[in-house]
Amino acid sequence: SACFPVCFRDLTATNFTAANAKISILDSGYANIKTLLAGGAGVGDLQNIHLTSQNAVIDSALIRTAVMQTVSVGDHFHQ
């Protein structure tokens, strides 16, 4: 297959910067990703997740244990 302008079969780099990248498989020990847009994601051990009303909608949830400072509930089921 033709590669233009450059084609690498195996590449080792200490520092690598790219404006755009298409990666089929990424195997990494550490990744610092500022914004993650995912159609589906599998997460092994998740230390922290910050959910706000701006970034999450929860359709239904089973919560076994919760520690909460305040809870506000809107009555969306009775009109």
Side-chain angles (χ1 to χ4, degrees):
S1 64
C3 295
F4 180 78
V6 178
C7 182
F8 295 104
R9 182 165 183 82
D10 294 303
L11 173 67
T12 301
T14 302
N15 294 301
F16 185 77
T17 302
N20 297 294
K22 291 184 180 181
I23 301 170
S24 296
I25 298 172
L26 175 63
D27 185 2
S28 174
Y30 176 83
N32 184 1
I33 301 170
K34 188 173 185 177
T35 302
L36 177 64
L37 304 175
V43 179
D45 293 323
L46 187 62
Q47 297 295 323
N48 293 308
I49 187 166
H50 182 71
L51 296 177
T52 67
S53 60
Q54 284 76 36
N55 69 10
V57 174
I58 300 173
D59 186 33
S60 62
L62 169 63
I63 301 171
R64 296 186 188 274
T65 304
V67 177
M68 295 179 268
Q69 185 173 357
T70 59
V71 176
S72 299
V73 178
D75 191 359
H76 296 285
F77 297 108
H78 300 93
Q79 296 181 356

Short mmCIF file of all heavy atoms in Angstrom, two decimals:
data_model
loop_
_atom_site.label_atom_id
_atom_site.label_comp_id
_atom_site.label_asym_id
_atom_site.label_seq_id
_atom_site.Cartn_x
_atom_site.Cartn_y
_atom_site.Cartn_z
N SER A 1 0.83 -1.19 0.00
CA SER A 1 0.00 0.00 0.00
C SER A 1 0.87 1.24 0.00
O SER A 1 1.90 1.30 0.65
CB SER A 1 -0.93 -0.01 1.21
OG SER A 1 -0.18 0.07 2.39
N ALA A 2 0.43 2.24 -0.68
CA ALA A 2 1.20 3.48 -0.79
C ALA A 2 0.96 4.34 0.44
O ALA A 2 -0.15 4.45 0.93
CB ALA A 2 0.78 4.24 -2.05
N CYS A 3 2.03 4.93 0.94
CA CYS A 3 1.94 5.83 2.09
C CYS A 3 2.44 7.20 1.67
O CYS A 3 3.55 7.33 1.16
CB CYS A 3 2.80 5.31 3.24
SG CYS A 3 2.22 3.75 3.91
N PHE A 4 1.60 8.19 1.87
CA PHE A 4 2.01 9.54 1.49
C PHE A 4 1.64 10.48 2.61
O PHE A 4 0.54 10.42 3.12
CB PHE A 4 1.30 9.98 0.21
CG PHE A 4 1.69 11.36 -0.22
CD1 PHE A 4 2.90 11.58 -0.85
CD2 PHE A 4 0.87 12.44 0.04
CE1 PHE A 4 3.27 12.85 -1.25
CE2 PHE A 4 1.23 13.72 -0.34
CZ PHE A 4 2.43 13.92 -0.99
N PRO A 5 2.48 11.38 3.07
CA PRO A 5 3.85 11.59 2.63
C PRO A 5 4.83 10.61 3.27
O PRO A 5 5.90 10.37 2.72
CB PRO A 5 4.15 13.02 3.05
CG PRO A 5 3.26 13.28 4.21
CD PRO A 5 2.04 12.41 4.00
N VAL A 6 4.51 10.01 4.44
CA VAL A 6 5.44 9.10 5.10
C VAL A 6 4.65 7.91 5.65
O VAL A 6 3.55 8.06 6.14
CB VAL A 6 6.17 9.81 6.27
CG1 VAL A 6 7.09 8.86 7.00
CG2 VAL A 6 6.94 11.03 5.78
N CYS A 7 5.26 6.72 5.61
CA CYS A 7 4.63 5.53 6.15
C CYS A 7 5.61 4.86 7.12
O CYS A 7 6.77 4.65 6.79
CB CYS A 7 4.28 4.57 5.01
SG CYS A 7 3.44 3.09 5.59
N PHE A 8 5.14 4.58 8.35
CA PHE A 8 5.97 3.89 9.35
C PHE A 8 5.36 2.53 9.63
O PHE A 8 4.17 2.42 9.88
CB PHE A 8 6.01 4.68 10.67
CG PHE A 8 6.69 6.01 10.57
CD1 PHE A 8 5.95 7.18 10.54
CD2 PHE A 8 8.08 6.09 10.53
CE1 PHE A 8 6.56 8.41 10.47
CE2 PHE A 8 8.70 7.32 10.46
CZ PHE A 8 7.95 8.48 10.43
N ARG A 9 6.17 1.52 9.64
CA ARG A 9 5.70 0.20 10.05
C ARG A 9 5.86 0.04 11.54
O ARG A 9 4.96 -0.37 12.24
CB ARG A 9 6.46 -0.89 9.29
CG ARG A 9 6.00 -2.28 9.63
CD ARG A 9 6.50 -3.29 8.62
NE ARG A 9 6.01 -4.60 8.90
CZ ARG A 9 4.82 -5.06 8.55
NH1 ARG A 9 3.99 -4.29 7.90
NH2 ARG A 9 4.44 -6.27 8.84
N ASP A 10 7.02 0.36 12.10
CA ASP A 10 7.27 0.35 13.53
C ASP A 10 7.91 1.68 13.89
O ASP A 10 8.85 2.12 13.25
CB ASP A 10 8.23 -0.79 13.91
CG ASP A 10 7.61 -2.15 13.68
OD1 ASP A 10 6.54 -2.40 14.25
OD2 ASP A 10 8.18 -2.95 12.92
N LEU A 11 7.39 2.33 14.93
CA LEU A 11 7.89 3.64 15.32
C LEU A 11 8.04 3.67 16.83
O LEU A 11 7.13 3.33 17.56
CB LEU A 11 6.91 4.74 14.87
CG LEU A 11 7.21 6.16 15.35
CD1 LEU A 11 8.49 6.67 14.70
CD2 LEU A 11 6.04 7.07 15.04
N THR A 12 9.20 4.07 17.29
CA THR A 12 9.46 4.29 18.71
C THR A 12 9.85 5.74 18.88
O THR A 12 10.72 6.24 18.17
CB THR A 12 10.59 3.38 19.23
OG1 THR A 12 10.21 2.02 19.01
CG2 THR A 12 10.84 3.61 20.69
N ALA A 13 9.16 6.43 19.81
CA ALA A 13 9.43 7.85 20.01
C ALA A 13 9.38 8.18 21.50
O ALA A 13 8.58 7.60 22.24
CB ALA A 13 8.41 8.70 19.26
N THR A 14 10.21 9.10 21.94
CA THR A 14 10.17 9.56 23.32
C THR A 14 9.09 10.60 23.50
O THR A 14 8.31 10.54 24.44
CB THR A 14 11.55 10.15 23.71
OG1 THR A 14 12.54 9.13 23.53
CG2 THR A 14 11.56 10.60 25.14
N ASN A 15 8.99 11.55 22.61
CA ASN A 15 7.94 12.56 22.62
C ASN A 15 7.34 12.61 21.23
O ASN A 15 8.04 12.69 20.24
CB ASN A 15 8.51 13.95 22.97
CG ASN A 15 9.03 13.99 24.39
OD1 ASN A 15 8.29 13.76 25.33
ND2 ASN A 15 10.30 14.26 24.54
N PHE A 16 6.00 12.58 21.17
CA PHE A 16 5.32 12.56 19.89
C PHE A 16 4.12 13.50 19.98
O PHE A 16 3.31 13.41 20.89
CB PHE A 16 4.85 11.13 19.56
CG PHE A 16 4.23 10.99 18.21
CD1 PHE A 16 5.03 10.95 17.07
CD2 PHE A 16 2.87 10.88 18.06
CE1 PHE A 16 4.46 10.81 15.82
CE2 PHE A 16 2.29 10.73 16.83
CZ PHE A 16 3.08 10.70 15.69
N THR A 17 4.01 14.43 19.05
CA THR A 17 2.91 15.39 19.01
C THR A 17 2.23 15.29 17.66
O THR A 17 2.90 15.27 16.63
CB THR A 17 3.42 16.83 19.24
OG1 THR A 17 4.10 16.89 20.49
CG2 THR A 17 2.28 17.82 19.23
N ALA A 18 0.89 15.22 17.69
CA ALA A 18 0.12 15.16 16.45
C ALA A 18 -1.13 16.01 16.61
O ALA A 18 -1.74 16.05 17.68
CB ALA A 18 -0.28 13.72 16.14
N ALA A 19 -1.52 16.69 15.55
CA ALA A 19 -2.73 17.50 15.58
C ALA A 19 -3.96 16.61 15.52
O ALA A 19 -4.96 16.86 16.20
CB ALA A 19 -2.73 18.48 14.42
N ASN A 20 -3.92 15.54 14.76
CA ASN A 20 -5.03 14.59 14.62
C ASN A 20 -4.45 13.19 14.58
O ASN A 20 -3.37 12.97 14.04
CB ASN A 20 -5.82 14.86 13.34
CG ASN A 20 -6.48 16.22 13.34
OD1 ASN A 20 -7.36 16.46 14.13
ND2 ASN A 20 -6.01 17.10 12.47
N ALA A 21 -5.23 12.22 15.09
CA ALA A 21 -4.78 10.83 15.06
C ALA A 21 -5.98 9.91 14.99
O ALA A 21 -7.01 10.17 15.60
CB ALA A 21 -3.95 10.51 16.29
N LYS A 22 -5.85 8.85 14.21
CA LYS A 22 -6.83 7.77 14.18
C LYS A 22 -6.11 6.52 14.65
O LYS A 22 -5.16 6.08 14.01
CB LYS A 22 -7.39 7.58 12.78
CG LYS A 22 -8.27 8.72 12.33
CD LYS A 22 -8.89 8.46 10.98
CE LYS A 22 -9.75 9.63 10.58
NZ LYS A 22 -10.40 9.41 9.28
N ILE A 23 -6.55 5.99 15.79
CA ILE A 23 -5.87 4.85 16.41
C ILE A 23 -6.88 3.72 16.54
O ILE A 23 -7.92 3.87 17.19
CB ILE A 23 -5.31 5.24 17.79
CG1 ILE A 23 -4.34 6.41 17.65
CG2 ILE A 23 -4.65 4.05 18.47
CD1 ILE A 23 -3.91 7.03 18.96
N SER A 24 -6.60 2.59 15.93
CA SER A 24 -7.50 1.44 16.02
C SER A 24 -7.44 0.80 17.40
O SER A 24 -8.46 0.52 18.01
CB SER A 24 -7.14 0.40 14.96
OG SER A 24 -7.34 0.94 13.67
N ILE A 25 -6.25 0.57 17.91
CA ILE A 25 -6.06 -0.04 19.23
C ILE A 25 -5.03 0.78 19.98
O ILE A 25 -3.92 1.01 19.49
CB ILE A 25 -5.57 -1.51 19.12
CG1 ILE A 25 -6.61 -2.35 18.39
CG2 ILE A 25 -5.28 -2.08 20.50
CD1 ILE A 25 -6.14 -3.75 18.06
N LEU A 26 -5.38 1.22 21.19
CA LEU A 26 -4.46 1.96 22.04
C LEU A 26 -4.26 1.15 23.31
O LEU A 26 -5.20 0.92 24.07
CB LEU A 26 -5.01 3.35 22.38
CG LEU A 26 -4.18 4.17 23.36
CD1 LEU A 26 -2.80 4.48 22.77
CD2 LEU A 26 -4.90 5.45 23.72
N ASP A 27 -3.07 0.68 23.54
CA ASP A 27 -2.72 -0.09 24.73
C ASP A 27 -1.78 0.77 25.54
O ASP A 27 -0.64 1.00 25.14
CB ASP A 27 -2.06 -1.42 24.33
CG ASP A 27 -1.78 -2.32 25.53
OD1 ASP A 27 -2.13 -1.94 26.66
OD2 ASP A 27 -1.22 -3.40 25.32
N SER A 28 -2.26 1.29 26.68
CA SER A 28 -1.50 2.27 27.43
C SER A 28 -1.59 1.98 28.92
O SER A 28 -2.64 1.58 29.43
CB SER A 28 -2.05 3.67 27.15
OG SER A 28 -1.43 4.62 27.97
N GLY A 29 -0.49 2.20 29.63
CA GLY A 29 -0.50 2.09 31.08
C GLY A 29 -1.08 3.32 31.73
O GLY A 29 -1.61 3.27 32.83
N TYR A 30 -1.02 4.47 31.09
CA TYR A 30 -1.49 5.73 31.65
C TYR A 30 -1.95 6.63 30.52
O TYR A 30 -1.30 6.72 29.48
CB TYR A 30 -0.35 6.42 32.41
CG TYR A 30 -0.69 7.77 32.95
CD1 TYR A 30 -1.37 7.90 34.15
CD2 TYR A 30 -0.37 8.92 32.25
CE1 TYR A 30 -1.70 9.14 34.65
CE2 TYR A 30 -0.69 10.16 32.74
CZ TYR A 30 -1.35 10.27 33.94
OH TYR A 30 -1.68 11.50 34.42
N ALA A 31 -3.09 7.29 30.70
CA ALA A 31 -3.59 8.23 29.70
C ALA A 31 -4.23 9.41 30.42
O ALA A 31 -5.05 9.22 31.31
CB ALA A 31 -4.61 7.56 28.78
N ASN A 32 -3.83 10.58 30.05
CA ASN A 32 -4.42 11.81 30.58
C ASN A 32 -5.25 12.40 29.47
O ASN A 32 -4.74 13.01 28.55
CB ASN A 32 -3.32 12.77 31.03
CG ASN A 32 -3.88 14.02 31.68
OD1 ASN A 32 -5.08 14.15 31.82
ND2 ASN A 32 -3.01 14.91 32.08
N ILE A 33 -6.57 12.19 29.54
CA ILE A 33 -7.48 12.62 28.49
C ILE A 33 -8.37 13.71 29.06
O ILE A 33 -9.11 13.49 30.02
CB ILE A 33 -8.33 11.43 27.99
CG1 ILE A 33 -7.41 10.33 27.46
CG2 ILE A 33 -9.33 11.89 26.93
CD1 ILE A 33 -8.09 9.04 27.15
N LYS A 34 -8.30 14.90 28.47
CA LYS A 34 -9.06 16.04 28.99
C LYS A 34 -10.55 15.86 28.77
O LYS A 34 -11.35 16.02 29.67
CB LYS A 34 -8.56 17.33 28.34
CG LYS A 34 -9.15 18.58 28.94
CD LYS A 34 -8.49 19.82 28.37
CE LYS A 34 -8.99 21.06 29.06
NZ LYS A 34 -8.31 22.25 28.58
N THR A 35 -10.96 15.51 27.58
CA THR A 35 -12.37 15.28 27.27
C THR A 35 -12.49 13.94 26.57
O THR A 35 -11.82 13.69 25.58
CB THR A 35 -12.92 16.38 26.35
OG1 THR A 35 -12.73 17.64 26.99
CG2 THR A 35 -14.39 16.18 26.07
N LEU A 36 -13.38 13.07 27.07
CA LEU A 36 -13.59 11.76 26.49
C LEU A 36 -15.02 11.67 25.99
O LEU A 36 -15.97 11.81 26.76
CB LEU A 36 -13.33 10.67 27.52
CG LEU A 36 -13.58 9.23 27.07
CD1 LEU A 36 -12.63 8.85 25.94
CD2 LEU A 36 -13.44 8.28 28.23
N LEU A 37 -15.18 11.51 24.69
CA LEU A 37 -16.48 11.29 24.09
C LEU A 37 -16.54 9.82 23.70
O LEU A 37 -15.75 9.37 22.90
CB LEU A 37 -16.67 12.18 22.86
CG LEU A 37 -16.47 13.68 23.10
CD1 LEU A 37 -16.55 14.44 21.78
CD2 LEU A 37 -17.50 14.20 24.08
N ALA A 38 -17.46 9.08 24.29
CA ALA A 38 -17.46 7.64 24.07
C ALA A 38 -18.86 7.15 23.76
O ALA A 38 -19.82 7.50 24.45
CB ALA A 38 -16.94 6.93 25.32
N GLY A 39 -18.96 6.34 22.72
CA GLY A 39 -20.21 5.66 22.43
C GLY A 39 -20.43 4.55 23.44
O GLY A 39 -21.51 4.33 23.94
N GLY A 40 -19.38 3.86 23.79
CA GLY A 40 -19.40 2.83 24.82
C GLY A 40 -18.04 2.77 25.46
O GLY A 40 -17.03 2.99 24.80
N ALA A 41 -18.01 2.51 26.75
CA ALA A 41 -16.73 2.45 27.44
C ALA A 41 -16.76 1.33 28.47
O ALA A 41 -17.74 1.16 29.19
CB ALA A 41 -16.41 3.78 28.13
N GLY A 42 -15.69 0.58 28.53
CA GLY A 42 -15.53 -0.43 29.56
C GLY A 42 -14.49 0.06 30.55
O GLY A 42 -13.40 0.45 30.16
N VAL A 43 -14.85 0.08 31.82
CA VAL A 43 -13.96 0.62 32.83
C VAL A 43 -13.72 -0.45 33.88
O VAL A 43 -14.67 -0.97 34.46
CB VAL A 43 -14.58 1.88 33.49
CG1 VAL A 43 -13.67 2.43 34.56
CG2 VAL A 43 -14.88 2.93 32.44
N GLY A 44 -12.45 -0.77 34.14
CA GLY A 44 -12.10 -1.76 35.16
C GLY A 44 -12.31 -1.20 36.54
O GLY A 44 -13.39 -1.28 37.11
N ASP A 45 -11.31 -0.58 37.12
CA ASP A 45 -11.40 0.05 38.43
C ASP A 45 -11.42 1.55 38.24
O ASP A 45 -10.48 2.14 37.75
CB ASP A 45 -10.19 -0.34 39.30
CG ASP A 45 -10.20 -1.81 39.65
OD1 ASP A 45 -11.30 -2.34 39.87
OD2 ASP A 45 -9.13 -2.42 39.70
N LEU A 46 -12.50 2.17 38.64
CA LEU A 46 -12.66 3.61 38.49
C LEU A 46 -12.53 4.24 39.87
O LEU A 46 -13.29 3.93 40.77
CB LEU A 46 -14.01 3.93 37.88
CG LEU A 46 -14.29 5.37 37.51
CD1 LEU A 46 -13.29 5.84 36.45
CD2 LEU A 46 -15.69 5.51 36.99
N GLN A 47 -11.55 5.12 40.03
CA GLN A 47 -11.31 5.74 41.33
C GLN A 47 -12.33 6.82 41.63
O GLN A 47 -12.95 6.82 42.66
CB GLN A 47 -9.89 6.33 41.38
CG GLN A 47 -8.79 5.29 41.24
CD GLN A 47 -8.77 4.32 42.40
OE1 GLN A 47 -9.00 4.71 43.53
NE2 GLN A 47 -8.51 3.06 42.13
N ASN A 48 -12.51 7.77 40.74
CA ASN A 48 -13.42 8.89 40.94
C ASN A 48 -14.15 9.21 39.65
O ASN A 48 -13.57 9.12 38.58
CB ASN A 48 -12.67 10.16 41.37
CG ASN A 48 -12.06 10.02 42.74
OD1 ASN A 48 -12.74 9.67 43.69
ND2 ASN A 48 -10.77 10.27 42.84
N ILE A 49 -15.39 9.61 39.77
CA ILE A 49 -16.12 10.13 38.63
C ILE A 49 -16.97 11.30 39.14
O ILE A 49 -17.58 11.21 40.20
CB ILE A 49 -17.00 9.05 37.95
CG1 ILE A 49 -17.62 9.59 36.68
CG2 ILE A 49 -18.04 8.50 38.89
CD1 ILE A 49 -18.20 8.53 35.78
N HIS A 50 -16.93 12.40 38.43
CA HIS A 50 -17.64 13.61 38.84
C HIS A 50 -18.85 13.80 37.95
O HIS A 50 -18.72 14.16 36.78
CB HIS A 50 -16.69 14.82 38.74
CG HIS A 50 -17.31 16.10 39.19
ND1 HIS A 50 -17.58 16.36 40.51
CD2 HIS A 50 -17.73 17.18 38.49
CE1 HIS A 50 -18.13 17.56 40.61
NE2 HIS A 50 -18.23 18.08 39.40
N LEU A 51 -20.03 13.52 38.48
CA LEU A 51 -21.26 13.67 37.72
C LEU A 51 -21.96 14.96 38.15
O LEU A 51 -22.11 15.22 39.33
CB LEU A 51 -22.20 12.49 37.97
CG LEU A 51 -21.71 11.13 37.53
CD1 LEU A 51 -22.72 10.05 37.91
CD2 LEU A 51 -21.47 11.11 36.04
N THR A 52 -22.36 15.74 37.17
CA THR A 52 -23.13 16.95 37.43
C THR A 52 -24.37 16.92 36.54
O THR A 52 -24.48 16.09 35.64
CB THR A 52 -22.32 18.22 37.12
OG1 THR A 52 -22.08 18.29 35.71
CG2 THR A 52 -20.98 18.23 37.86
N SER A 53 -25.27 17.84 36.77
CA SER A 53 -26.46 17.90 35.92
C SER A 53 -26.11 18.33 34.50
O SER A 53 -26.87 18.09 33.58
CB SER A 53 -27.48 18.87 36.52
OG SER A 53 -26.93 20.17 36.62
N GLN A 54 -24.93 18.93 34.31
CA GLN A 54 -24.52 19.33 32.97
C GLN A 54 -23.91 18.18 32.18
O GLN A 54 -23.94 18.18 30.96
CB GLN A 54 -23.49 20.47 33.04
CG GLN A 54 -24.08 21.83 33.37
CD GLN A 54 -24.43 21.97 34.85
OE1 GLN A 54 -23.72 21.46 35.69
NE2 GLN A 54 -25.51 22.66 35.14
N ASN A 55 -23.34 17.15 32.84
CA ASN A 55 -22.64 16.11 32.09
C ASN A 55 -23.27 14.72 32.22
O ASN A 55 -22.72 13.77 31.71
CB ASN A 55 -21.16 16.06 32.47
CG ASN A 55 -20.92 15.55 33.88
OD1 ASN A 55 -21.81 15.06 34.54
ND2 ASN A 55 -19.69 15.67 34.33
N ALA A 56 -24.42 14.59 32.92
CA ALA A 56 -24.98 13.26 33.08
C ALA A 56 -26.49 13.30 33.20
O ALA A 56 -27.05 14.21 33.81
CB ALA A 56 -24.39 12.60 34.32
N VAL A 57 -27.14 12.31 32.62
CA VAL A 57 -28.56 12.07 32.80
C VAL A 57 -28.69 10.62 33.22
O VAL A 57 -28.22 9.72 32.54
CB VAL A 57 -29.36 12.33 31.50
CG1 VAL A 57 -30.82 11.93 31.69
CG2 VAL A 57 -29.24 13.78 31.08
N ILE A 58 -29.32 10.38 34.37
CA ILE A 58 -29.49 9.02 34.88
C ILE A 58 -30.95 8.64 34.69
O ILE A 58 -31.84 9.25 35.30
CB ILE A 58 -29.08 8.92 36.36
CG1 ILE A 58 -27.61 9.31 36.51
CG2 ILE A 58 -29.33 7.52 36.89
CD1 ILE A 58 -27.14 9.42 37.94
N ASP A 59 -31.19 7.64 33.85
CA ASP A 59 -32.55 7.18 33.57
C ASP A 59 -33.08 6.37 34.75
O ASP A 59 -34.18 6.59 35.23
CB ASP A 59 -32.56 6.37 32.28
CG ASP A 59 -33.96 5.98 31.85
OD1 ASP A 59 -34.89 6.77 32.10
OD2 ASP A 59 -34.12 4.90 31.27
N SER A 60 -32.30 5.42 35.22
CA SER A 60 -32.67 4.64 36.39
C SER A 60 -31.38 4.18 37.06
O SER A 60 -30.36 4.05 36.42
CB SER A 60 -33.53 3.43 36.00
OG SER A 60 -32.80 2.57 35.15
N ALA A 61 -31.47 3.94 38.38
CA ALA A 61 -30.27 3.56 39.12
C ALA A 61 -30.64 2.71 40.32
O ALA A 61 -31.68 2.90 40.93
CB ALA A 61 -29.50 4.79 39.57
N LEU A 62 -29.78 1.77 40.65
CA LEU A 62 -29.87 0.99 41.88
C LEU A 62 -28.71 1.45 42.75
O LEU A 62 -27.55 1.28 42.39
CB LEU A 62 -29.76 -0.51 41.60
CG LEU A 62 -29.59 -1.41 42.83
CD1 LEU A 62 -30.82 -1.31 43.73
CD2 LEU A 62 -29.36 -2.84 42.40
N ILE A 63 -29.02 2.08 43.87
CA ILE A 63 -27.99 2.60 44.76
C ILE A 63 -28.06 1.82 46.06
O ILE A 63 -29.07 1.86 46.77
CB ILE A 63 -28.19 4.12 45.01
CG1 ILE A 63 -28.15 4.86 43.68
CG2 ILE A 63 -27.14 4.64 45.98
CD1 ILE A 63 -28.54 6.32 43.77
N ARG A 64 -27.00 1.09 46.38
CA ARG A 64 -26.98 0.27 47.58
C ARG A 64 -26.60 1.09 48.81
O ARG A 64 -27.19 0.95 49.86
CB ARG A 64 -26.03 -0.91 47.41
CG ARG A 64 -26.46 -1.87 46.33
CD ARG A 64 -25.57 -3.10 46.30
NE ARG A 64 -25.87 -3.92 45.16
CZ ARG A 64 -26.82 -4.84 45.13
NH1 ARG A 64 -27.58 -5.03 46.18
NH2 ARG A 64 -27.02 -5.56 44.05
N THR A 65 -25.60 1.94 48.70
CA THR A 65 -25.14 2.76 49.81
C THR A 65 -24.87 4.16 49.30
O THR A 65 -24.27 4.31 48.24
CB THR A 65 -23.85 2.18 50.43
OG1 THR A 65 -24.10 0.83 50.81
CG2 THR A 65 -23.42 2.97 51.64
N ALA A 66 -25.29 5.17 50.05
CA ALA A 66 -25.05 6.55 49.65
C ALA A 66 -24.78 7.41 50.87
O ALA A 66 -25.41 7.25 51.90
CB ALA A 66 -26.24 7.10 48.88
N VAL A 67 -23.81 8.30 50.73
CA VAL A 67 -23.53 9.32 51.73
C VAL A 67 -23.76 10.65 51.05
O VAL A 67 -23.09 10.97 50.08
CB VAL A 67 -22.09 9.22 52.27
CG1 VAL A 67 -21.81 10.33 53.26
CG2 VAL A 67 -21.85 7.84 52.89
N MET A 68 -24.75 11.41 51.53
CA MET A 68 -25.14 12.65 50.85
C MET A 68 -25.28 13.78 51.85
O MET A 68 -25.77 13.57 52.96
CB MET A 68 -26.47 12.44 50.12
CG MET A 68 -26.38 11.43 48.99
SD MET A 68 -27.97 11.19 48.19
CE MET A 68 -28.57 9.81 49.14
N GLN A 69 -24.86 14.95 51.43
CA GLN A 69 -25.04 16.13 52.27
C GLN A 69 -26.45 16.69 52.09
O GLN A 69 -27.14 16.98 53.05
CB GLN A 69 -24.00 17.19 51.92
CG GLN A 69 -24.05 18.39 52.82
CD GLN A 69 -22.89 19.34 52.55
OE1 GLN A 69 -22.02 19.06 51.73
NE2 GLN A 69 -22.87 20.45 53.23
N THR A 70 -26.88 16.84 50.84
CA THR A 70 -28.24 17.30 50.56
C THR A 70 -28.81 16.52 49.39
O THR A 70 -28.06 16.03 48.53
CB THR A 70 -28.28 18.80 50.21
OG1 THR A 70 -27.47 19.02 49.06
CG2 THR A 70 -27.79 19.66 51.35
N VAL A 71 -30.13 16.41 49.36
CA VAL A 71 -30.83 15.75 48.25
C VAL A 71 -32.03 16.62 47.89
O VAL A 71 -32.81 17.00 48.76
CB VAL A 71 -31.31 14.34 48.64
CG1 VAL A 71 -32.12 13.72 47.50
CG2 VAL A 71 -30.14 13.45 49.01
N SER A 72 -32.17 16.93 46.60
CA SER A 72 -33.33 17.64 46.10
C SER A 72 -34.04 16.74 45.11
O SER A 72 -33.41 16.19 44.22
CB SER A 72 -32.92 18.94 45.42
OG SER A 72 -32.27 19.80 46.34
N VAL A 73 -35.35 16.59 45.29
CA VAL A 73 -36.11 15.71 44.43
C VAL A 73 -37.25 16.51 43.82
O VAL A 73 -38.03 17.13 44.53
CB VAL A 73 -36.68 14.50 45.22
CG1 VAL A 73 -37.51 13.62 44.30
CG2 VAL A 73 -35.55 13.72 45.87
N GLY A 74 -37.33 16.51 42.50
CA GLY A 74 -38.44 17.16 41.79
C GLY A 74 -39.50 16.13 41.49
O GLY A 74 -39.20 14.98 41.19
N ASP A 75 -40.75 16.52 41.59
CA ASP A 75 -41.86 15.60 41.34
C ASP A 75 -42.21 15.63 39.85
O ASP A 75 -43.07 16.37 39.40
CB ASP A 75 -43.07 16.01 42.19
CG ASP A 75 -44.14 14.93 42.17
OD1 ASP A 75 -43.95 13.91 41.49
OD2 ASP A 75 -45.17 15.12 42.82
N HIS A 76 -41.53 14.79 39.08
CA HIS A 76 -41.74 14.73 37.64
C HIS A 76 -42.77 13.66 37.26
O HIS A 76 -43.18 13.58 36.13
CB HIS A 76 -40.43 14.43 36.90
CG HIS A 76 -39.41 15.52 37.09
ND1 HIS A 76 -39.49 16.72 36.45
CD2 HIS A 76 -38.31 15.57 37.87
CE1 HIS A 76 -38.47 17.47 36.79
NE2 HIS A 76 -37.73 16.81 37.66
N PHE A 77 -43.18 12.82 38.21
CA PHE A 77 -44.06 11.71 37.89
C PHE A 77 -45.53 12.06 38.07
O PHE A 77 -46.39 11.47 37.46
CB PHE A 77 -43.70 10.50 38.75
CG PHE A 77 -42.31 10.01 38.49
CD1 PHE A 77 -41.29 10.21 39.41
CD2 PHE A 77 -41.99 9.37 37.30
CE1 PHE A 77 -40.01 9.76 39.17
CE2 PHE A 77 -40.72 8.93 37.05
CZ PHE A 77 -39.71 9.12 37.98
N HIS A 78 -45.86 13.03 38.92
CA HIS A 78 -47.23 13.42 39.17
C HIS A 78 -47.49 14.80 38.60
O HIS A 78 -46.81 15.75 38.95
CB HIS A 78 -47.53 13.40 40.67
CG HIS A 78 -47.32 12.06 41.29
ND1 HIS A 78 -46.12 11.70 41.87
CD2 HIS A 78 -48.13 10.99 41.39
CE1 HIS A 78 -46.22 10.46 42.33
NE2 HIS A 78 -47.43 10.01 42.04
N GLN A 79 -48.44 14.90 37.70
CA GLN A 79 -48.74 16.19 37.08
C GLN A 79 -50.16 16.60 37.35
O GLN A 79 -51.06 15.88 37.39
CB GLN A 79 -48.48 16.13 35.58
CG GLN A 79 -47.03 15.88 35.29
CD GLN A 79 -46.76 15.84 33.78
OE1 GLN A 79 -47.65 15.92 32.96
NE2 GLN A 79 -45.50 15.70 33.43
#
